[in-house]
Amino acid sequence: MGHICVIGGTRFFGRTLVKRLLGEGHKVTVLTRGRSGDDFGHTVSRLSADANDVDALSEAVAGHEFDAVVHQMCYSPVAALAAAKAFQGRIGRLVMTSTIEVYTTVPGVRPFAAAAELDPADHGYDVSLPWLDPDFSDAHYGEGKRQAESALTDAAQFPVAFARAGHVLAEGEFTGRLAFHVDRVLAGARIVTHRVPGRSSFVHADEIAGYLAWLSGSSVTGPVNASSPDGMAVRDLCAVIEAATGRTAVIEELDDPVGDSDLSPFSYPKDFGMVVEHEFSPVGAWLPEVVRREISGR
């Protein structure tokens, strides 16, 4: 078994990843800013640093060696370059948790894109942009991830894999995107979508955590798409909630819904998904239980 460092493993599927690695017999070190606690007890080692600060990160990992790093907090080329320098000579490989959002606004990418259609080596990066400003980074989330992939591809002198995760769903997920739909169906409140909203790609939190654990011990490099193989539109998600609640979703399709406070976070004007090469479970195999657990938590 290996020694795996997880950067940012204290919430959502990061916690699931840490527990998965521990269950597989790995030694795990969790590196965070130290601002929030965890429930891992004495089962993990802990380091504290801001992953965007190359000096602090280098100081934190000095004297440590890892078989792999799973980077959950690499949102920009600033963090990517910090990792490339701090971990040089200290790790066997790095797995960056990336996102489906890297495919937004990229010319020539198909509605359901293959990983090879977006080569990190071709994109480039700009560290002069205000990536540490939360307002800027939130508004440029997909671009930040694209540039992070490019920066690691350019600067890392160790093998790197990029797991481009679909929209991650589980009960109680911290973004509130599943709760957005459940709450509105239960309340009979409107859910706004684009006219004939497109399908997108989704993945269960447990499955993406398991895949990241597998990647940390594999020889895979470069970008890989990580999601269920079948796409899902907002109406499909609402149909599962309707079946679990016995309520009817109030869906309102608009030609130009941008800016509407009731716009579904999963509504797209056309298909926006990924072709997946790794074997993941279809959405229908896990979504109904996720929805039932989300409802039972009310």
Side-chain angles (χ1 to χ4, degrees):
M1 295 294 101
H3 186 182
I4 314 297
C5 176
V6 179
I7 302 179
T10 59
R11 66 176 185 174
F12 198 28
F13 65 91
R15 294 176 66 254
T16 307
L17 167 62
V18 170
K19 292 180 178 181
R20 178 70 172 257
L21 290 168
L22 290 170
E24 293 176 357
H26 297 287
K27 179 181 178 181
V28 178
T29 293
V30 175
L31 190 153
T32 68
R33 291 174 296 181
R35 297 179 181 178
S36 59
D38 60 68
D39 60 352
F40 303 134
H42 298 295
T43 62
V44 303
S45 299
R46 295 173 180 81
L47 297 173
S48 180
D50 183 342
N52 294 301
D53 185 328
V54 62
D55 293 331
L57 185 60
S58 298
E59 182 178 352
V61 301
H64 298 273
E65 292 187 357
F66 306 101
D67 294 288
V69 170
V70 181
H71 204 325
Q72 293 274 91
M73 303 298 290
C74 197
Y75 296 117
S76 76
V78 174
L81 294 178
K85 182 175 181 180
F87 288 110
Q88 174 57 33
R90 303 186 184 283
I91 63 174
R93 61 188 277 103
L94 184 144
V95 177
M96 173 188 154
T97 306
S98 191
T99 173
I100 185 177
E101 300 295 337
V102 298
Y103 295 109
T104 56
T105 69
V106 178
V109 171
R110 291 178 295 170
F112 273 74
E117 293 179 56
L118 181 60
D119 186 342
D122 295 337
H123 190 70
Y125 55 95
D126 184 355
V127 294
S128 70
L129 295 173
W131 292 113
L132 301 187
D133 177 346
D135 290 335
F136 179 86
S137 60
D138 288 349
H140 298 83
Y141 174 70
E143 178 63 16
K145 286 288 192 180
R146 277 195 296 268
Q147 292 200 21
E149 289 187 10
S150 294
L152 277 169
T153 300
D154 176 59
Q157 297 182 44
F158 41 75
V160 182
F162 308 105
R164 293 171 177 168
H167 305 294
V168 183
L169 291 182
E171 65 278 6
E173 52 98 6
F174 75 97
T175 68
R177 293 178 298 178
L178 177 59
F180 171 98
H181 299 85
V182 170
D183 290 343
R184 281 162 174 74
V185 173
L186 287 172
R190 69 199 284 261
I191 297 173
V192 173
T193 71
H194 293 81
R195 186 77 63 188
V196 191
R199 298 167 299 152
S200 195
S201 294
F202 295 80
V203 66
H204 191 285
D206 289 349
E207 290 205 40
I208 187 61
Y211 186 59
L212 291 169
W214 177 82
L215 272 180
S216 70
S218 76
S219 60
V220 172
T221 59
V224 288
N225 290 340
S227 76
S228 289
D230 48 337
M232 177 174 68
V234 177
R235 283 193 177 275
D236 302 317
L237 172 58
C238 288
V240 175
I241 300 171
E242 288 175 326
T245 61
R247 309 286 182 86
T248 300
V250 180
I251 299 175
E252 184 176 342
E253 295 182 352
L254 301 178
D255 291 324
D256 185 15
V258 177
D260 193 305
S261 61
D262 292 322
L263 176 62
S264 165
F266 296 138
S267 180
Y268 298 95
K270 57 183 179 180
D271 284 351
F272 170 61
M274 301 185 294
V275 174
V276 183
E277 296 178 358
H278 186 81
E279 184 175 347
F280 289 86
S281 301
V283 171
W286 53 263
L287 182 60
E289 180 60 23
V290 167
V291 169
R292 283 193 291 270
R293 290 181 179 179
E294 178 70 23
I295 293 167
S296 69
R298 291 293 182 272

